[in-house]
Amino acid sequence: MNEENTNTQENATTPEDLPTFEEFGLKREIMQSIRYAGFKMPSPIQSQAIPIIMEGRDVVGQAHTGTGKTAAFGLPVINNMTLNDGVEVLVITPTRELANQVSDELFKYGKKLGVRTVTVYGGSSYGRQIGLIERGAQIVVATPGRLMDILSRDMLPNFTPSTVILDEADEMLDMGFLDDINEIFTYLPQERQTLLFSATMPQPIKELAKRILVDPAFISITKGEATNQDIAQQYYVIDENERDDAIIRLLDAEETSKVIVFCRTKREVDRLSNVLSAVGYNAKGLHGDMEQRQRESVIRGIKDNAIDVLVATDVAARGIHIDDVSHVFNFHIPFDPESYVHRIGRTGRAGQKGKAITLVTPIEFKELQRIKSKVGTTMEHAYIPSKRDVKASQMNKMIADIEGQTVYDEAHTVLDALNEDYDQAQIAYKLISLLMDRTSVKGPNTIGIAPQRLEKILQSLERNNRGGGNRGGGRNRRHSSGGNRRHNSSSNRNRNRSHRD
Ligand code: ADP
Ligand code: MG
């Protein structure tokens, strides 16, 4: 059925004109890897980018996180490789974690063709990395800093990749790598195919694309929506001192698998991961001040299901692909709309459903509106369930769990022992109470701003907005100069940024 010559006919009889991987004419070995990876159908960015990249054209590709951009460039680029001597492909990624992730993925696609891949990043030995490249790597996946070091010190005299890919370009911008990137390109051959992939397209990235790409095809799969439709987005309005209670209650109430909680500072990451661990969650922090080995072990932990709740800063967690993240929490509202898009893109990946939950205080409401309008997304307001509500739903779940529980042989032994002193009903009550202890709902009965008060706050915000040019007048201004709230001036923003990872 997968024979190429029957393919056209197949398509003609298919009611919907669904895209297939067969139609690209990729090499047989690559088609095998695609099947092996379990990909049934190309994603929209893949459908559009693969044929154009195969033609050898420069491409700027924009699509939400989790939509398969790696394969969108990886498959056609590997397909086009001549596999003669020397490095043919250079992929530049913002972080070590991403470099490893992309390299693993490219290795999978090129395995059957015998493609050799090397990663190059700071923190491990130059000699080893250069040795591996010189011993016949065909793909190099690198972070900007180390790559620039290597090129500027002329440590790789015959480095002439014919295809260069900038992956997650917006993140490189955010991490301050733009100058490095510009310099790297002075060491690369003029004659090359250049591809740039990004989830968002801030102005400096558009300008970079103009400088380093030649007559590129622009592919954008964002349909005016910067966020993935599979992600349900909610926000809860709380008082500043309720953040911890709110997050714990929501973790108790939601049906979660893996969860990422985003914080704005490293200190907040440390504090919150300790708080969550203390109340019994299997939580770990991830931020840029941690040692590389520690970070890798946390990332492995969450990937392998050994950790349920990852508490992280933006930069530390960006772009890392973790399967089955059911929820993303914004413990604080992010600094800018792009971060919001990136954060929530950690869930709802590869066509799965996800939920993104943001905690805001009334003072942050303006910020929320700004993100909403800039991102063009729908966020639903919701109230945090009360302790009573959560208990009720947990009880229903407990009933279902007990009904569905299989009985082990050892259970008889324990029951026989108990039967000597208690009757069956007593034993059952004790057992159920034991289960209840394990799912105890923590915190006060109600959390968050009550409907009536919220209504008043919203009305007064509305009045302030109508007040015309009087931005941040009235209560907002008082608040914003009082606390350590965010400010809008760019210098302050930059200061905040440099603190967050
Ligand atoms: P992005 O770079 O757009 O954020 P990735 O390239 O990291 O996304 O891909 C996200 C996940 O989707 C990866 O686990 C990848 O293996 C998977 N994936 C990619 N393409 C497909 C496809 N066509 N079908 C199913 N899964 C896919
Ligand atoms: Mg990616």
Side-chain angles (χ1 to χ4, degrees):
M1 229 181 55
N2 284 326
E3 301 272 308
E4 261 155 46
N5 50 4
T6 62
N7 203 24
T8 353
Q9 245 185 342
E10 277 265 317
N11 278 348
T13 53
T14 319
E16 287 162 280
D17 218 6
L18 293 175
T20 64
F21 278 110
E22 277 79 9
E23 70 202 29
F24 301 126
L26 291 160
K27 287 180 182 157
R28 192 171 43 84
E29 292 87 346
I30 296 182
M31 290 305 297
Q32 280 179 342
S33 321
I34 293 173
R35 273 193 292 275
Y36 194 73
F39 299 173
K40 303 270 182 296
M41 224 173 63
S43 69
I45 184 82
Q46 291 164 0
S47 283
Q48 293 201 29
I50 291 174
I52 304 178
I53 297 175
M54 282 173 77
E55 282 170 22
R57 234 186 118 174
D58 284 4
V59 168
V60 175
Q62 181 186 11
H64 308 140
T65 35
T67 52
K69 292 192 286 297
T70 318
F73 66 77
L75 296 170
V77 159
I78 292 175
N79 191 78
N80 286 358
M81 289 174 74
T82 62
L83 300 175
N84 297 329
D85 282 347
V87 174
E88 282 182 66
V89 177
L90 167 66
V91 186
I92 309 175
T93 69
T95 63
R96 289 178 271 212
E97 285 82 7
L98 273 170
N100 281 322
Q101 200 171 292
V102 168
S103 143
D104 286 351
E105 200 145 341
L106 297 183
F107 173 76
K108 275 196 304 201
Y109 306 145
K111 199 167 145 188
K112 286 269 182 330
L113 289 166
V115 178
R116 272 172 292 177
T117 304
V118 170
T119 48
V120 164
Y121 44 71
S124 52
S125 121
Y126 284 91
R128 202 184 113 76
Q129 291 174 352
I130 287 166
L132 284 171
I133 295 173
E134 286 180 336
R135 256 173 279 134
Q138 293 132 330
I139 300 182
V140 170
V141 184
T143 55
R146 175 56 66 97
L147 180 64
M148 201 183 67
D149 272 0
I150 289 180
L151 295 178
S152 64
R153 294 191 208 170
D154 209 13
M155 291 158 105
L156 276 177
N158 295 318
F159 189 70
T160 52
S162 49
T163 305
V164 180
I165 300 124
L166 285 176
D167 190 25
E168 316 281 354
D170 51 355
E171 295 182 21
M172 293 206 253
L173 169 72
D174 270 6
M175 294 175 72
F177 284 139
L178 215 49
D179 289 342
D180 287 0
I181 300 288
N182 280 320
E183 190 172 337
I184 286 167
F185 273 91
T186 65
Y187 297 101
L188 299 177
Q190 295 282 327
E191 199 50 42
R192 60 166 197 257
Q193 180 181 24
T194 316
L195 312 172
L196 183 152
F197 281 81
S198 199
T200 58
M201 280 293 158
Q203 194 56 32
I205 293 300
K206 288 186 192 146
E207 284 161 19
L208 175 72
K210 260 190 222 144
R211 276 198 304 277
I212 60 169
L213 279 73
V214 180
D215 184 30
F218 285 90
I219 301 171
S220 176
I221 317 279
T222 50
K223 296 194 201 107
E225 276 274 347
T227 55
N228 178 336
Q229 297 298 300
D230 288 327
I231 307 170
Q233 300 168 56
Q234 290 181 331
Y235 66 94
Y236 294 91
V237 188
I238 53 159
D239 276 323
E240 186 57 51
N241 61 5
E242 292 180 308
R243 279 191 209 277
D244 289 3
D245 283 336
I247 205 110
I248 292 168
R249 174 64 46 81
L250 289 166
L251 285 173
D252 283 343
E254 295 277 325
E255 285 266 326
T256 60
S257 58
K258 282 184 220 169
V259 170
I260 305 180
V261 183
F262 281 102
C263 294
R264 291 194 303 214
T265 64
K266 295 176 253 199
R267 220 191 305 154
E268 190 87 86
V269 165
D270 286 336
R271 193 195 61 80
L272 186 63
S273 56
N274 285 333
V275 168
L276 294 179
S277 302
V279 296
Y281 282 100
N282 195 353
K284 279 276 183 326
L286 183 72
H287 60 64
D289 268 1
M290 290 162 54
E291 276 182 29
Q292 179 64 9
R293 220 170 342 130
Q294 242 181 323
R295 291 207 289 175
E296 275 166 15
S297 118
V298 171
I299 291 169
R300 212 175 316 113
I302 185 104
K303 285 193 175 182
D304 297 349
N305 302 325
I307 296 169
D308 303 321
V309 182
L310 180 70
V311 185
T313 57
D314 286 279
V315 176
R318 268 191 188 186
I320 296 167
H321 177 67
I322 302 163
D323 283 322
D324 301 325
V325 173
S326 62
H327 290 66
V328 166
F329 286 88
N330 293 311
F331 187 66
H332 276 101
I333 197 161
F335 287 105
D336 47 48
E338 269 102 20
S339 305
Y340 180 81
V341 174
H342 277 293
R343 286 179 175 192
I344 75 166
R346 302 297 103 217
T347 182
R349 291 173 81 87
Q352 289 183 319
K353 298 276 173 213
K355 210 164 180 184
I357 290 177
T358 304
L359 301 179
V360 286
T361 62
I363 310 161
E364 293 168 330
F365 235 87
K366 270 227 166 84
E367 219 66 31
L368 182 80
Q369 298 301 13
R370 199 169 58 86
I371 288 178
K372 262 162 82 172
S373 68
K374 195 89 184 280
V375 173
T377 185
T378 16
M379 283 187 229
E380 308 259 326
H381 170 252
Y383 290 104
I384 296 176
S386 69
K387 195 170 191 163
R388 220 169 292 126
D389 292 341
V390 178
K391 275 193 169 155
S393 69
Q394 284 189 346
M395 252 176 243
N396 287 332
K397 188 169 178 296
M398 193 183 293
I399 292 168
D401 284 352
I402 293 174
E403 284 172 349
Q405 178 65 45
T406 46
V407 175
Y408 303 122
D409 281 346
E410 292 91 332
H412 294 289
T413 323
V414 177
L415 186 62
D416 288 345
L418 287 167
N419 264 331
E420 291 175 10
D421 296 316
Y422 304 95
D423 66 38
Q424 303 259 340
Q426 274 177 308
I427 296 170
Y429 288 134
K430 276 179 177 289
L431 281 176
I432 291 169
S433 306
L434 184 74
L435 283 177
M436 283 176 165
D437 266 352
R438 294 195 177 158
T439 57
S440 73
V441 184
K442 296 151 279 276
N445 186 41
T446 57
I447 301 167
I449 296 195
Q452 280 178 332
R453 209 184 120 213
L454 184 60
E455 190 71 17
K456 282 204 191 110
I457 293 169
L458 291 178
Q459 277 168 7
S460 97
L461 276 173
E462 185 76 0
R463 267 199 305 279
N464 280 342
N465 279 346
R466 276 203 304 269
N470 179 20
R471 285 195 315 150
R475 54 174 300 145
N476 278 326
R477 181 171 297 279
R478 268 206 312 281
H479 278 286
S480 56
S481 50
N484 59 344
R485 301 250 61 80
R486 254 156 302 129
H487 307 274
N488 283 329
S489 86
S490 65
S491 63
N492 273 322
R493 215 179 98 169
N494 287 338
R495 208 175 54 211
N496 281 331
R497 272 175 177 284
S498 62
H499 275 293
R500 71 176 169 173
D501 194 25

